[in-house]
Amino acid sequence: MNQEFQFKGVHIPYKIDYNNRKHCYISIKEGQVIVKAPLYMSKTYISKILLSKGEWILKKLEEQDRREAELKARREEGFVSIFGKDYKIRL
């Protein structure tokens, strides 16, 4: 289920993944916020959790955007990263 919440004027979409689990988890992968929640947890409670973690979510989204921009710039310069080391591609 795709939802959206607003934090400091920024609309942040998120996806809820209900499962048979005890705790609620928030992960950010490829610029998407994913909430893994127990089956009994209400959407209202999930919204409250997201609002309380809004600063962290924004920080992680910005970090991913920055990291992706850096990788794109490095690729355009002819570099590729393998196991954390940059190598210049020569043809």
Side-chain angles (χ1 to χ4, degrees), residues 36-87:
K36 295 182 181 183
L39 295 170
Y40 60 84
M41 192 170 284
S42 70
K43 292 178 186 176
T44 305
Y45 189 72
I46 292 171
S47 295
K48 288 179 183 179
I49 292 171
L50 289 170
L51 287 173
S52 72
K53 298 293 183 182
E55 289 288 339
W56 178 83
I57 292 169
L58 283 178
K59 181 178 125 187
K60 292 299 177 183
L61 287 171
E62 289 171 1
E63 283 176 7
Q64 282 190 356
D65 287 345
R66 182 183 43 79
R67 195 174 311 125
E68 190 174 307
E70 287 173 1
L71 284 173
K72 185 178 177 184
R74 297 294 288 166
R75 280 190 217 116
E76 288 174 355
E77 293 173 4
F79 285 90
V80 65
S81 182
I82 300 174
F83 298 117
K85 288 190 173 186
D86 289 339
Y87 295 95

Side-chain angles (χ1 to χ4, degrees), residues 7-55:
F7 185 78
K8 291 189 175 182
V10 178
H11 292 278
I12 303 171
Y14 65 96
K15 179 184 173 195
I16 301 175
D17 181 19
Y18 284 107
N19 259 333
N20 190 16
R21 62 179 73 239
K22 285 185 176 182
H23 304 284
C24 183
Y25 301 93
I26 301 171
S27 62
I28 299 172
K29 295 185 180 182
E30 298 175 1
Q32 184 178 12
V33 178
I34 301 168
V35 180
K36 295 182 181 183
L39 295 170
Y40 60 84
M41 192 170 284
S42 70
K43 292 178 186 176
T44 305
Y45 189 72
I46 292 171
S47 295
K48 288 179 183 179
I49 292 171
L50 289 170
L51 287 173
S52 72
K53 298 293 183 182
E55 289 288 339

